Amino acid sequence: MAVKSSLSKFIFFALAILLIISASADNCFNSIVGFGDSLTDTGNGFHFVSEYNPLPYFTLPPYGNTFFDRPTGRNSDGRLIIDFIAEDLGLPFVEPFFHEGRNASLESVNFAVVGGTALEDSYFTEINITLPLANVSLATQFSWFKQFLSNKYNNSSDYKRYLQTSLVLLGEIGCNDYNHAFLQGKNEAEVQPFVPKIVKRIGETINELINLGALTIVVPGNFPIGCTATYLAHFASTNEEDYDSSTGCIKWLNRFAEYHNDLLQTELSRIREFHPETKIFYGDYYNAAMNIYRNPEIYGFTEGTLRACCGGGGSYNFNFSVQCGHPSSMSCVDPSCYMNWDGMHFTDVGAKWLAKAVLTHLGTICDRPSSHAGVYDH
Ligand SMILES: *[C@@H]1O[C@H](CO)[C@@H](O)[C@H](O)[C@H]1NC(C)=O
Ligand SMILES: *[C@@H]1O[C@H](CO)[C@@H](O)[C@H](O)[C@H]1NC(C)=O
Ligand SMILES: *[C@@H]1O[C@H](CO)[C@@H](O)[C@H](O)[C@H]1NC(C)=O
Ligand SMILES: *[C@@H]1O[C@H](CO)[C@@H](O)[C@H](O)[C@H]1NC(C)=O
Ligand SMILES: *[C@@H]1O[C@H](CO)[C@@H](O)[C@H](O)[C@H]1NC(C)=O
Ligand SMILES: *[C@@H]1O[C@H](CO)[C@@H](O)[C@H](O)[C@H]1NC(C)=O
């Protein structure tokens, strides 16, 4: 009995020490570097729209109400996927690059901007598509990143050291390229040719990141856009065949997102062959979201997943002329019952589930079993 007890004491202490070691090894990354659009922007958009009159909807309440108690520039009632990834990795929230007085000392840094596109704005001008809000291409975001590095560090070996301990979240990006085209009347056949161009641009950016020294890059794909209230309202159809009967999502739009994701994954495989030392993860936002659209009740979305929490009414609570933040718009009482926040973006809780699913999928992200059982065991 005594032997057994001291043995179990020993085991207990050994376990405790192991736990302490794994907790301190927990900071497998020192920083996160973000690129993307409104799904990732933690405040850069504010910088670009501060002169607008009227101010864009996302700078006004009820944006931010759930978590930050004020609008932060995030297109959500609360946190974004990148915020939950930072929380999971034990890092502070990723501050926007354009953040008065803070950027010089930033470790993690976010270049994502609301309205951001993968392609240059000249591409859209040529085909008569306008880009409302800040139009910032991926190349522009990348040029800011190089500016950030050269402001902060002396030479390329310093850049390398920084990037070796950074997790790069590249995207989602490209969604707006499609959104603007579709919502301005282009049809599927006209938008399809964007896809290889966008995927190529993402691939070029990955190569540039690898050249600078990045070792871990997460590249999320597109969401099932046929399930977002904005699209559901815009492409409302009387033909039942257009809808997936199990989810209520528009089938052709989801097929389009899958086409983007297929090409993106092929491109990632191609790059991995040339750079086996770099960990390039595909962030499967699509399937993470589809699981939720198929089983909303499991996730507590008692108000369904398609209808926006905040908006100007209609079947999906989305109306282009009365968007969330507009004086005549109305917000739901409990955003945690909703997946969709404002028509296009996710609620705090929606982003939390998506981040959780993606982190589970990327279980090897820190190259060791995770101590975040709470996050990885679902
Ligand atoms: C900080 O941001 C300002 C714009 O707000 C920019 O002009 C400046 O270059 C940035 N500084 C650093 C060190 O990144
Ligand atoms: C763009 O608009 C101009 C002027 O209306 C027209 O001449 C041109 O054909 C359009 N281009 C495309 C690609 O739609
Ligand atoms: C992008 O923004 C610039 C500056 O605001 C504007 O001149 C340009 O027309 C925009 N491009 C598109 C395609 O809307
Ligand atoms: C850059 O070089 C200068 C001079 O050698 C040095 O004082 C400084 O600490 C270096 N900066 C970094 C970030 O290493
Ligand atoms: C780069 O700068 C660091 C200081 O920031 C210095 O220690 C190192 O020797 C430099 N490396 C090269 C290749 O110049
Ligand atoms: C959107 O809101 C405007 C302004 O209140 C209203 O006139 C219009 O009928 C609404 N559209 C739909 C589809 O409900």
Side-chain angles (χ1 to χ4, degrees), residues 36-38 41 75 113-117 131-136 176-177 180:
D37 53 29
S38 54
D41 183 358
N75 279 260
V113 186
V114 54
T117 51
L131 305 175
L133 282 176
N135 63 59
V136 172
N176 282 324
D177 303 56
H180 292 308

Side-chain angles (χ1 to χ4, degrees), residues 307-352:
R307 204 179 143 74
C309 160
C310 177
S315 312
Y316 299 98
N317 196 24
F318 182 83
N319 181 332
F320 272 107
S321 15
V322 186
Q323 296 194 37
C324 181
H326 185 285
S328 324
S329 73
M330 286 212 301
S331 179
C332 65
V333 175
D334 184 0
S336 73
C337 300
Y338 289 76
M339 167 83 164
N340 191 308
W341 165 241
D342 62 357
M344 197 53 110
H345 308 100
F346 301 106
T347 55
D348 182 84
V349 173
K352 182 169 142 193

Side-chain angles (χ1 to χ4, degrees), residues 26 40 53 81 121 124 138 202 213 237 241 248 252 291 368:
D26 205 27
T40 311
N53 187 12
I81 293 173
D121 89 291
F124 299 97
L138 184 52
I202 295 172
S237 160
E241 290 284 291
W252 70 268
N291 277 338
R368 58 174 175 75

